[in-house]
Amino acid sequence: MAKTSNKVRMGMVGGGQGAFIGNIHRMAAFLDGKIELVAGAFSSNHDNCLLTGHMLGIEPTRCYASYQQMFEAEAKLPAEQRIQFVSVVTPNHLHFPVSKCALEHGFHVLSDKPATMDLHQVLELEKIVTAQQKLYGLTHTYTGYPMVKEACEQVAAGALGDVVKIIVEYSQGWLAETTDEENKQASWRLDPKRAGASCCMGDIGVHAANLAEYVSGLKITELCADLTSVVAGRVLDDDGTVLLKFNNGAKGVLIASQISVGEENNLSIRVYGTKASFEWRQEEPNSLIKKYNNQPREIIRAGVGTLAANTNAYLRTPAGHPEGYIEAFANIYLQFINQIIALEQQSDSDISELAPDIEQAIRGMAFIENVVEASKQQTKWQPFKLTVNSEGQI
């Protein structure tokens, strides 16, 4: 078996025929022409796995019946042929065992979020990442948008003054009715055995929390939460509101909902400072609106005028052409493979920003569990905990 190219070689777990997010990952991974998909355990159904592999042009011998078989077989191949990293695109309950197995067989991991089923697992994963000295990345996609990066850069440079308030919202309507649960993508998200402790907060609320911390450069320290199952009979939440306190004293509000009829993928953030404020909306991703009290607002556009170097590093299209979801996803992949290349070449010359890593994975799982627990409490404010006790509870 000859080496086919100089591209970074990727394996994939999940993403077989009938899956949604796997194809999104593949489109994003292929966008820059730096990644080659050479192996996969795409489905627990081996026929589906073989069919998926055939459609993707992968040799049948490298379409594996299980992820365990894939990692064992790939680890035995010559270094120039085996996969270098694995993309994990399964339901949540498989994220930890797949990532653990991959790392222990010597492969880097780029996983869909949330990283694991609970905080205890992700803390165990951190130990494995450290012990194996391999890279671990998490696809917090929305940090890949160029105008989100521009907001992050300007906030860090003091363009807003001191940040005093953050409002972040992620609203969808696709789970508003009982019949929506018949959707394959909905069924596992509403099942605690496969999704974990939360549906709405685990699926999209964690993205909102990550975006708030990324843009502001701040960390959540306390929260007050109210989670609800609006549709009768659901075990997990489909709607929620969280009040936030940050480490500089700023306050915030996080709204996450999957029962907001008419909403598609309404992710937005407003960051208010002592001098100015920023507003960005995922459904209009090329515009970053900067507002003032005593002068006209500015509309900062992707590809127009003077932007931060880190913003320009992830712009892909001429001005006026939307920098969308696939491009943002591809930017996470680009960050991650640049780290792989730099690690192998012992150079960091091509790295402008690191992909979301195990620290973001831990904070994401901590957010989900802290919100779920805070929603059960009568006391208003609860500390944001990053550790678990001997029983695995926060």
Side-chain angles (χ1 to χ4, degrees):
M1 187 187 301
K3 182 180 177 183
T4 56
S5 72
N6 291 320
K7 297 179 180 180
V8 176
R9 296 176 300 281
M10 178 176 84
M12 178 171 278
V13 178
Q17 295 299 301
F20 161 67
I21 201 65
N23 201 40
I24 298 294
H25 276 261
R26 289 190 287 266
M27 286 189 284
F30 299 157
L31 194 59
D32 288 295
K34 293 185 177 184
I35 297 175
E36 180 181 20
L37 180 61
V38 298
F42 301 109
S43 172
S44 57
N45 181 318
H46 197 216
D47 288 338
N48 186 341
C49 182
L50 289 169
L51 175 62
T52 304
H54 175 73
M55 295 181 68
L56 295 170
I58 298 172
E59 296 178 24
T61 56
R62 297 182 79 176
C63 296
Y64 299 97
S66 69
Y67 68 85
Q68 297 95 330
Q69 183 189 55
M70 179 170 81
F71 297 139
E72 290 173 6
E74 290 291 316
K76 295 175 183 177
L77 293 176
E80 69 274 11
Q81 295 174 10
R82 69 175 74 118
I83 62 173
Q84 292 163 274
F85 81 101
V86 62
S87 176
V88 183
V89 297
T90 65
N92 298 355
H93 70 292
L94 290 172
H95 289 181
F96 175 71
V98 174
S99 298
K100 178 178 184 291
C101 190
L103 290 163
E104 290 177 343
H105 280 82
F107 302 114
H108 307 295
V109 172
L110 184 62
S111 176
D112 232 343
K113 50 101 312 263
T116 58
M117 285 284 278
D118 55 42
L119 183 57
H120 174 74
Q121 283 187 342
V122 77
L123 293 173
E124 286 298 310
L125 190 63
E126 180 188 31
K127 295 176 183 176
I128 297 167
V129 170
T130 301
Q132 297 298 321
Q133 295 185 313
K134 293 297 176 182
L135 298 174
Y136 177 87
L138 201 65
T139 52
H140 269 304
T141 311
Y142 302 103
T143 64
Y145 280 96
M147 288 296 95
V148 169
K149 295 186 181 300
E150 180 66 18
C152 177
E153 293 288 325
Q154 289 207 28
V155 170
L160 302 189
D162 296 329
V163 173
V164 294
K165 190 174 184 66
I166 300 168
I167 299 177
V168 61
E169 176 183 359
Y170 200 155
S171 292
Q172 302 172 334
W174 71 295
L175 294 180
E177 298 181 13
T178 303
T179 54
D180 293 330
E181 298 171 19
E182 299 169 7
N183 181 308
K184 178 181 178 181
Q185 299 304 317
S187 62
W188 73 258
R189 285 174 167 84
L190 289 162
D191 178 3
K193 293 181 180 178
R194 291 182 288 171
S198 168
C199 173
C200 183
M201 285 296 163
D203 192 27
I204 61 175
V206 67
H207 271 309
N210 176 260
L211 186 65
E213 291 196 336
Y214 179 82
V215 172
S216 69
L218 303 175
K219 302 295 184 185
I220 298 168
T221 56
E222 295 180 69
L223 49 80
C224 172
D226 179 31
L227 303 187
T228 307
S229 299
V230 173
V231 176
R234 286 181 178 166
V235 177
L236 299 181
D237 55 286
D238 52 25
D239 182 80
T241 305
V242 187
L243 301 180
L244 304 169
K245 289 183 181 180
F246 294 88
N247 59 331
N248 75 332
K251 304 290 181 65
V253 181
L254 186 152
I255 299 168
S257 176
Q258 291 171 310
I259 51 80
S260 295
V261 173
E263 297 292 356
E264 297 174 3
N265 202 60
N266 184 14
L267 172 62
S268 65
I269 184 168
R270 286 176 281 163
V271 181
Y272 297 94
T274 52
K275 297 179 181 177
S277 66
F278 273 142
E279 179 176 357
W280 179 82
R281 298 185 65 245
Q282 192 269 162
E283 292 179 348
E284 297 178 7
N286 274 32
S287 296
L288 175 64
I289 302 173
K290 191 175 184 180
K291 304 176 186 178
Y292 307 87
N293 273 344
N294 301 310
Q295 65 187 77
R297 65 183 56 185
E298 301 174 29
I299 300 178
I300 304 168
R301 294 282 291 169
V304 178
T306 303
L307 300 173
N310 195 48
T311 304
N312 287 324
Y314 295 99
L315 282 166
R316 299 169 176 278
T317 60
H321 297 76
E323 296 276 347
Y325 183 61
I326 301 298
E327 290 85 355
F329 229 121
N331 284 337
I332 304 297
Y333 269 89
L334 182 60
Q335 289 170 346
F336 192 68
I337 64 166
N338 281 344
Q339 290 174 248
I340 293 175
I341 294 169
L343 184 64
E344 293 184 351
Q345 296 178 351
Q346 298 184 336
S347 168
D348 60 2
S349 58
D350 293 328
I351 300 178
S352 57
E353 182 180 353
L354 301 180
D357 60 14
I358 193 67
E359 179 184 355
Q360 281 72 50
I362 292 170
R363 293 195 65 82
M365 285 312 311
F367 172 79
I368 295 167
E369 290 204 11
N370 277 282
V371 166
V372 169
E373 289 304 311
S375 183
K376 300 174 183 177
Q377 305 302 319
Q378 294 301 313
T379 303
K380 183 177 179 181
W381 289 104
Q382 299 292 320
F384 188 86
K385 301 175 184 177
L386 288 165
T387 58
V388 295
N389 60 25
S390 59
E391 285 76 39
Q393 299 172 327
I394 61 169

